[in-house]
Amino acid sequence: MNTHHPPEHSPIHTSPSLLLTMARPSGLTVQCIGIVSDDPGCLEVCQSVVEEYGLCSCSGESLTGSAPLYMLLLLDLHNLSPDHIRHLYDIREHHPNLPIVALVACSAVGERSAPLERLSEVVAAGVQGLLFKPVLAETLAATVGSIVAQQQTRYHQLWAAWQYLNDAVFLLDPHTKKILEANPAAEALTGYNRTALLSKAFHSLFDMLDGPNRELLYNSSNGTPRPDEPTSEARLQRADNEHLLVSLGVSRVPYGNKHLLVVIARDISLHVWRTKQAIQVEKLAAVGRLISCVAHEVNNPLQALHNSLHLLLNRPLDADKQRRYLVMAQAEVDRLIGLVQRLLDIHRPIPEAMRPTHLHRILKGVVPLIEQQLRDNNVYVMYDMHPGLPMTMGVPSLLKQVYLNLLLNAVEAMPNGGILTIRTYTVDAQSQQQLLSNATHSAHHPGYTLASDRTTWAVVEVRDTGSGIPAEELSKIFEPFYSTRNSSDGRGLGLAICYGIVEKHNGLLTVESTVGHGTNFRTFLPVAK
């Protein structure tokens, strides 16, 4: 086969970067058109047309092996033999995006050995042009010119994207992790110019903090990025020795018969700082609300206690009145002790050792305790229980307290009657996250996520058909002393205590509610191993 090799300045030999080679803006003279033909006449016509466009040509024989970066391939299929068509499909398999113009002998179409169905196979392979030999220079030039124009537009678009991306992009060797290319945003992020970056290994700049792609970026592994966890966090040491917190996204890109790694880095230092500030502001606001509520709750019994003691000390009272005021004072002291006790319960360590616990037994033990409330409020209980619900690690007495509180809340939310549904099932970590993300009106601790190494979760739902909770109130539902209704002593502490207990069990308590359609509380507890 006759071949014509590209000149030495061709980027096929000088640039290791797939992205920059495909998007170099200095004109089409740096691009190469591959020609596969052993027909001297066809080869001559093809080479003359290519040279008219100021392009270089070379043999395309190695397209199924190494990876020359052609902008176009002229492929002679001769008489459409099975071997030639198989070669076409092999090329397409290795280079799915390479534009191909197929050249077919005109006489082949009429031969019995090459029926028209063969042409359908050629078209199905995704060729951009189909010309019959002997090919006319004008026809070939028009076809090549059209594809070259399209490719030139594409290259300039890619170049513009590469140049003006706000995110830093690094192209890495998958084995050595050496930086092969970097865009201008990478220079701005790191403080190094492109020449300095190309002499560095990725791990010399970035210190991975967490994430699933650590092995891929720091060892000699040529594995596959984790699609379920596409980003990781790392600390970047800039040229000026400043440290930045960045997020890293890793992808593999095909490069002939191998793959390269593309790492997209984004500075998240400001975002993290703002998030911490927002959390701190919310903490201070929550503390302020807590202090205000505690002061209000404590003030009433203190005032009653003060008045009782004042009367005892400053007025002559008979024995019966003295006893009455002393009983009142003792009642207010007991009220204060109970209030403090409930506050301590929110963050008190679990007093018992956790053990495998069956949630169905706890639920069946709790429901009889609220039978009177169910009858008084005309509430019916419906069960949807998982028949093989696995056990969880927990403290039965504390979990009983959680579900008793949730059931009482549900009953109180339906003073005019309704249906209380108790449902149990299991989910994996991915389904659990989907439940949270799909909830349109929900609340849970914003900074709390379930442990990633847990694979299965036992879920208990307590759903009512009451009036629901407005969306603006859901964010405060688990705060101490917050309540959507007027209760007696210690109001608003129940859900806060429940949340603390579930959190100590390495679980999560969430609520979803829609006004007019009811409320649904869920507990997620890790299954016992």
Side-chain angles (χ1 to χ4, degrees):
M1 181 178 290
N2 296 323
T3 60
H4 179 67
H5 296 284
E8 291 299 319
H9 67 270
S10 168
I12 294 172
H13 297 288
T14 59
S15 173
S17 168
L18 173 66
L19 295 177
L20 286 186
T21 303
M22 293 189 67
R24 195 178 296 278
S26 56
L28 292 176
T29 55
V30 300
Q31 299 295 342
C32 184
I33 291 182
I35 302 174
V36 178
S37 178
D38 54 8
D39 181 343
C42 178
L43 185 62
E44 182 180 356
V45 172
C46 290
Q47 289 179 345
S48 65
V49 169
V50 169
E51 291 170 358
E52 285 182 8
Y53 281 90
L55 302 171
C56 55
S57 63
C58 65
S59 167
E61 288 180 304
S62 60
L63 275 169
T64 56
S66 59
L69 301 175
Y70 299 119
M71 68 177 303
L72 171 64
L73 177 67
L74 303 177
L75 178 62
D76 189 353
L77 296 180
H78 297 281
N79 60 353
L80 294 175
S81 69
D83 288 341
H84 285 98
I85 293 180
R86 190 178 304 112
H87 187 211
L88 169 62
Y89 274 86
D90 287 343
I91 293 173
R92 179 55 73 209
E93 179 181 357
H94 286 80
H95 304 274
N97 298 317
L98 174 64
I100 300 176
V101 174
L103 308 175
V104 181
C106 188
S107 59
V109 179
E111 296 178 1
R112 291 184 179 181
S113 60
L116 291 178
E117 285 79 1
R118 297 276 178 84
L119 287 177
S120 299
E121 294 182 43
V122 173
V123 173
V127 297
Q128 276 64 43
L130 180 61
L131 302 178
F132 293 99
K133 301 191 310 180
V135 63
L136 298 177
E138 294 81 2
T139 304
L140 181 60
T143 303
V144 170
S146 175
I147 296 175
V148 165
Q150 294 174 10
Q151 290 294 84
Q152 184 179 29
T153 300
R154 178 169 173 257
Y155 297 153
H156 281 82
Q157 290 171 343
L158 288 173
W159 174 259
W162 174 263
Q163 283 290 96
Y164 296 106
L165 272 173
N166 290 327
D167 293 330
V169 183
F170 302 87
L171 194 70
L172 308 182
D173 183 286
H175 298 289
T176 65
K177 305 305 183 292
K178 181 181 178 182
I179 298 175
L180 303 178
E181 269 300 347
N183 69 341
E187 299 179 55
L189 179 67
T190 63
Y192 292 97
N193 59 33
R194 177 176 172 271
T195 302
L197 283 175
L198 300 191
S199 66
K200 293 183 175 296
F202 184 81
H203 59 77
S204 67
L205 295 175
F206 294 90
D207 180 20
M208 185 79 80
L209 298 179
D210 60 11
N213 294 316
R214 185 178 182 88
E215 286 287 320
L216 191 64
L217 289 175
Y218 287 88
N219 295 331
S220 58
S221 168
N222 190 21
T224 302
R226 290 274 299 274
D228 56 331
E229 298 183 68
T231 60
S232 305
E233 288 187 2
R235 184 179 291 107
L236 164 66
Q237 183 172 351
R238 287 172 40 87
D240 56 8
N241 289 325
E242 180 185 358
H243 288 83
L244 297 178
L245 188 64
V246 298
S247 66
L248 301 179
V250 185
S251 302
R252 292 176 65 194
V253 294
Y255 187 75
N257 59 351
K258 62 179 181 178
H259 288 83
L260 301 178
L261 292 179
V262 172
V263 180
I264 299 179
R266 174 177 296 179
D267 181 5
I268 58 173
S269 301
L270 181 59
H271 172 73
V272 171
W273 180 83
R274 286 176 175 172
T275 301
K276 289 181 178 179
Q277 289 295 106
I279 293 175
Q280 183 64 21
V281 169
E282 179 58 30
K283 284 182 178 179
L284 293 175
V287 169
R289 290 193 294 269
L290 177 61
I291 292 174
S292 175
C293 291
V294 169
H296 175 75
E297 292 294 323
V298 171
N299 184 64
N300 289 335
L302 283 180
Q303 286 290 345
L305 183 60
H306 172 77
N307 292 336
S308 298
L309 294 176
H310 179 78
L311 291 173
L312 288 169
L313 293 173
N314 295 285
R315 290 191 181 182
L317 302 173
D318 58 37
D320 289 340
K321 285 188 178 181
Q322 288 181 3
R323 178 174 178 78
R324 188 189 314 159
Y325 287 129
L326 287 173
V327 169
M328 290 175 57
Q330 184 178 11
E332 295 304 325
V333 170
D334 291 340
R335 181 179 174 186
L336 287 171
I337 292 174
L339 178 63
V340 173
Q341 185 68 37
R342 281 187 290 274
L343 286 172
L344 291 175
D345 286 342
I346 296 177
H347 296 291
R348 174 173 292 173
I350 293 179
E352 307 174 37
M354 291 198 295
R355 58 182 183 271
T357 304
H358 206 301
L359 295 179
H360 283 180
R361 293 180 183 175
I362 292 178
L363 292 169
K364 290 178 180 178
V366 168
V367 173
L369 300 178
I370 62 169
E371 286 183 351
Q372 186 62 47
Q373 289 88 339
L374 292 172
R375 286 193 294 267
D376 293 343
N377 288 45
N378 198 27
V379 173
Y380 296 90
V381 180
M382 294 184 61
Y383 296 93
D384 182 8
M385 312 293 271
H386 188 293
L389 187 73
M391 290 190 290
T392 64
M393 294 300 294
V395 180
S397 61
L398 294 180
L399 293 177
K400 182 178 180 179
Q401 181 180 349
V402 170
Y403 295 117
L404 178 60
N405 198 292
L406 294 180
L407 292 173
L408 285 174
N409 279 354
V411 174
E412 292 181 15
M414 299 180 286
N416 300 319
I419 298 175
L420 170 58
T421 303
I422 303 174
R423 181 189 177 204
T424 63
Y425 54 96
T426 60
V427 295
D428 57 21
Q430 184 176 0
S431 299
Q432 182 267 345
Q433 294 297 330
Q434 192 67 34
L435 281 174
L436 295 181
S437 61
N438 288 344
T440 53
H441 300 292
S442 65
H444 53 88
H445 196 292
Y448 184 74
T449 56
L450 296 178
S452 59
D453 61 336
R454 306 290 187 182
T455 57
T456 308
W457 304 87
V459 184
V460 176
E461 288 188 4
V462 178
R463 184 189 299 268
D464 65 61
T465 56
S467 58
I469 304 171
E472 61 272 13
E473 296 184 5
L474 278 179
S475 61
K476 307 174 184 176
I477 199 73
F478 296 121
E479 290 185 7
F481 296 106
Y482 183 82
S483 177
T484 58
R485 57 186 179 274
N486 292 324
S487 300
S488 57
D489 181 35
R491 65 182 178 88
L493 286 174
L495 288 177
I497 293 172
C498 290
Y499 194 96
I501 292 174
V502 174
E503 190 175 26
K504 290 183 181 68
H505 282 73
N506 298 317
L508 184 61
L509 173 61
T510 69
V511 57
E512 296 176 24
S513 187
T514 303
V515 175
H517 292 82
T519 302
N520 183 23
F521 283 91
R522 284 194 188 99
T523 62
F524 295 85
L525 294 172
V527 167
K529 293 184 180 180

